[in-house]
Amino acid sequence: MSNGQMHPRTQARIGAALHIGWILILFTCPRTGGDDSGMTLLDVARLQQVGSVEVSPNGRLIAYVKSVPREPWKKSDRDEKVKDGSAWSELHVVDMKGDSRPFVTGKVSVGSAAWSPNGDRISFLAKRGEDKHKYLYVIPIDGGEARSVVRHDTDITDYSWSPDGNRVAFLAKAKPDKKRKKQKDKGFKQEVYEEDWRPVLVWIVDTADSSAKPESLELPGSASSVHWSPVGSRIAVALAPTPLIDDGYMKRKIHIVDTDSEEIVSRLDTGGKLGQIAWSPDGKHLAVIAGTDAHDPSPGHLFTVPASGGPLRDLLPDYAGQINSIAWQDSETIMYLGDRGVSTELAKIGRDGTGKKRILAAGSHVMNQLTVSRDGQSAALRSHAPTHPREVFTMKHGDAEPRRLTDSNPWLNDIRLAKQEVVTYRARDGLELQGLLVRPLDEEPGKRYPLVLIVHGGPESHYSHGWLNRYSTPAQVLAGRGFACFYPNYRGSTGRGVAFSKKGQSDYAGKEFDDLIDAIDHLVDAGLVDRDRVGVTGGSYGGFASAWCATYHTERFAASVMFVGISDQVSKFGTTDIPNEMYQVHSRRWPWEDWDWFRERSPIYHVQKARTPILIMHGKNDPRVHPSQSMELYRYLKTLGKTPVRLVLYPGEQHGNRKAAAQYDYS
C-alpha cells in the first residue's frame, strides 16, 4: 500500500509463517503421549499398524504382518543409534479370543505371509541373516524356527502353493546375464533407457524334494502375480508385455497355465486395469477386480469368468462404489469389500450375479482386506477407524458386525483426539461432494480457525472415514495446535462409481480443483474457517493441486506444501514412467495434439501471479513424477523473487518417503 501499511493478506501470510516456525519448535519436543495438547509428530512417527491378514484354513487363527517403524532419533539398549530405514515388518498370529503371539519379530522385513494348504505352517518372503536375496521361508504353527524352502539367484516377489503343498509357483526376475556382469566389472556401466530390463518369470519347484531345482515357464511377457488353483495343476498368471510400470498399469492380462504341460490353457482380457484375482474353491471360475474399460481410472468392479475362457461377467454393473477386496465363500458365492463414499461395506453375491447382494456389515470401520476360511464361515479383515490405524478384525457367520482382535498402539487411549466428521457440500455446478473434517481439538463456538486443505493423489483415490494421520498428513497434530483440516474427495476420486471417477478426465486443474475452492467456501460460510488463513498440501496429484493453488489460486492461500508434485504438464509427460496411463485415464489427449492446453494447465504458466509461500519437497529418485518438476517450479519462483520458496530433496527416496528419518524430517 502507498501509505506503507501491509495488506491484511500479507500480514496473515507472515503471521502464518511465524506461527509455523513456532509450531516447528513445539514439534521438536520429544513428548510421547499423555499430554492434553493431543498428538505430536513423534506419536505419528511411532505408530504401528497391521499390514496384511490371512485367516487359517480351519478359521481358528489369523496370521498378520505388523509394521513397526524405526526410530533413528533414539538410541538402542546398547547406546547405539537406531539405523535408519523403512519400517520393520513382523509376523504375528492371533486367535479368535484376541490372544496374539509373535512368530518372526525384531529387525526383520517379512512379506507375503500365507498359510500352507493344510494349515500346519505359515510361509513368508524375507531376506534374513546372510541371505543374498529374498527367499521363501516357512515356520511351523506349533513352534520351531523358520527355515528357507526356496532359495533363488534373484529376489522372489510373489508365490502360491499347489493344493497338496508339495510344489510352489513363484515369481522372480530372470537371472543376470553373466557376460553383461563382466562388462560392468570392467567399467561398461552404461544403461539403455527402458531397455535394460529383465522380465519377471514364473518358476515351479518341488519343495518336497530338497534336490529339486526351480524351472521357469516359457510365457509371453513379464509376470506380476501368480495364483495356484485349489484343484489340479493350473495357475493364473498376470502378464504384461514388459516389467515397465506403464505396461503393468495398462496392459496386464490373465493367463491360465497348466504347470504339467506348461501350456497356456486360456487368456482372459479384462479390458481395463487389473486388480485382485481369486480362484473359486472348485477351480472352475475366477473372480477378478478390474476396470470396466481402458479409460476406467481404477480397478474397482467385480467380474467372474470361467477358467476355461469366455466373456467376463460384471456382477455389479451399476455399483456406485469401488470393490477393494474379494474372497470366495464357496464355489457359488463371492464375498467382497466395497468402498461407498467415505465408508466401506462387507457384502456377498452369487457367482452369476443374478442373485441379490446381501450386505453383512457397513459403516463402523473402514475395511480394506478380506480373507475367508476354507469352510466360508470365518473371515479375517484389516480395518481402521478415526480412533486407530489398521488392526486385525474378524467376523464369523451369524455375527452382527466385525470384532477387533489386536491393539497395536495401546498408548493411543491416553491421547486426546480431535473430532472427525463427514462433510457434504455442493460444487458451484451443483455436484454433491464429500470430505472429511478434523476439527480443532479445543474448538470454541463462534471462533474462526486456520485451515489446512489436504488433497489426495491419483486422482484415482479417495479418503475414507478412518485413520487419516500419516507423516505427510498429521491432521491430529495440527488439530492440537488449533488448525482445522479438511480432506476433500473432489470429482475424479474413487469410491462413487466409474462415472464419478471419470469426471476429472480431460480437464487437468479445471473443475476438479474448483471443487477445492468450493470446499473452502463451504467451511467459511459454516463459520468455522478464517478465509485469510488457508493452507494446502498434498502429494503427487495432490502436489499438483498444491502447486496450482499456490499459483493460479494464489489469492486464496496463505501457504502451500507441495510433495512429489507436478508443475509442468509438458515436461511431466516426457519424464514420467506412466505416459500411456496419463493419456488413457487422465488427459485423454497427447501433448502434441494440444500444446497450449498442456501449458495452460501447468502451475509454472501462472507463476507470475504467485504470492503464496511454498515449501516444495521431493524424492530425488522419483520415477513417477521426476524431481525436475519440483526443480522447475522452484527455479521460476526463486528467480521471480515475489514469494518465499524452499526446495528439499530426499536422496534415495522415490514417489513418497519410505525411510523413518526422511518421513520425520518431512513432518
Side-chain angles (χ1 to χ4, degrees), residues 2 12-13 28 60 75 130 153 168 202 208 235 292 302 314 378 455 463 474 520 532 552 564 577 583 625 660:
S2 58
R13 285 173 175 158
T28 58
R60 297 173 186 170
K75 291 185 177 181
E130 301 299 320
D153 295 329
V168 68
V202 179
I235 57 174
T292 56
L302 173 57
D314 189 342
S378 299
V455 187
Y463 290 120
I520 296 168
D532 289 328
Y552 185 85
V564 295
D577 60 355
Y583 167 74
V625 178

Side-chain angles (χ1 to χ4, degrees), residues 3 513 538 639:
N3 61 4
F513 290 169
T639 303

Side-chain angles (χ1 to χ4, degrees), residues 51-115:
S52 65
V53 296
E54 290 288 333
V55 68
S56 62
N58 63 16
R60 297 173 186 170
L61 300 170
I62 297 172
Y64 67 98
V65 174
K66 184 166 71 171
S67 174
V68 181
R70 306 189 196 198
E71 298 179 314
W73 51 87
K74 280 191 172 183
K75 291 185 177 181
S76 68
D77 293 338
R78 297 181 181 179
D79 204 34
E80 298 173 352
K81 288 185 178 179
V82 176
K83 189 176 180 181
D84 186 28
S86 302
W88 300 116
S89 299
E90 300 180 339
L91 176 63
H92 296 254
V93 175
V94 63
D95 64 22
M96 295 305 167
K97 295 179 181 179
D99 294 328
S100 185
R101 288 188 292 156
F103 267 63
V104 182
T105 62
K107 297 179 180 180
V108 295
S109 293
V110 169
S112 303
W115 292 88

Side-chain angles (χ1 to χ4, degrees), residues 9 131 167 355 593:
R9 188 172 295 279
D131 292 349
R167 292 193 293 169
E593 294 175 341

Side-chain angles (χ1 to χ4, degrees), residues 339-446:
D339 297 318
R340 296 291 300 267
V342 296
S343 301
T344 57
E345 62 185 16
L346 169 63
K348 63 181 181 179
I349 191 170
R351 175 183 57 77
D352 58 4
T354 56
K356 233 182 173 183
K357 78 172 187 180
R358 180 185 170 194
I359 297 177
L360 305 175
S364 60
H365 285 79
V366 177
M367 302 169 281
N368 49 26
Q369 190 193 357
L370 167 69
T371 64
V372 176
S373 60
R374 186 167 291 157
D375 64 5
Q377 300 301 298
S378 299
L381 300 152
R382 183 183 64 190
S383 303
H384 60 101
T387 54
H388 65 80
R390 297 191 301 261
E391 297 286 0
V392 181
F393 281 66
T394 186
M395 187 171 181
K396 291 189 175 183
H397 183 70
D399 288 350
E401 60 182 18
R403 180 168 51 89
R404 181 175 172 179
L405 295 178
T406 61
D407 186 359
S408 302
N409 305 281
W411 54 268
L412 268 178
N413 296 325
D414 298 325
I415 301 289
R416 285 201 307 137
L417 297 178
K419 182 180 180 182
Q420 180 175 308
E421 63 189 48
V422 180
V423 172
T424 300
Y425 68 101
R426 290 197 177 274
R428 63 194 65 181
D429 62 358
L431 182 65
E432 185 175 277
L433 300 167
Q434 282 185 316
L436 296 163
L437 174 65
V438 179
R439 307 186 77 96
L441 182 59
D442 292 310
E443 181 183 353
E444 300 175 18

Side-chain angles (χ1 to χ4, degrees), residues 273 295-299 321-322 341 425 427 429 431-434 455-463 488-516 541-542 544 581 584-588:
K273 289 182 177 179
H295 302 300
D296 190 343
S298 181
Q322 172 164 329
Y425 68 101
D429 62 358
L431 182 65
E432 185 175 277
L433 300 167
Q434 282 185 316
V455 187
H456 68 67
E460 59 273 22
S461 177
H462 69 276
Y463 290 120
N489 285 333
Y490 52 97
R491 70 189 70 200
S493 301
T494 52
R496 290 184 57 183
V498 176
F500 186 87
S501 67
K502 288 183 177 181
K503 283 186 177 294
Q505 292 183 354
S506 194
D507 191 24
Y508 280 154
K511 291 181 179 179
E512 59 183 5
F513 290 169
D514 288 344
D515 292 346
L516 308 181
Y541 210 84
F544 173 33
E581 203 249 3
Q584 292 277 29
V585 304
H586 296 155
S587 63
R588 298 294 293 270

Side-chain angles (χ1 to χ4, degrees), residues 37-64:
S37 61
M39 293 193 75
T40 70
L41 289 179
L42 281 175
D43 291 333
V44 175
R46 69 191 183 107
L47 283 166
Q48 300 182 14
Q49 57 187 326
V50 171
S52 65
V53 296
E54 290 288 333
V55 68
S56 62
N58 63 16
R60 297 173 186 170
L61 300 170
I62 297 172
Y64 67 98

Side-chain angles (χ1 to χ4, degrees), residues 632-646:
E632 281 191 50
L633 184 60
Y634 168 81
R635 184 59 66 207
Y636 275 69
L637 291 173
K638 189 73 172 179
T639 303
L640 280 167
K642 301 290 186 180
T643 190
V645 58
R646 171 174 284 173

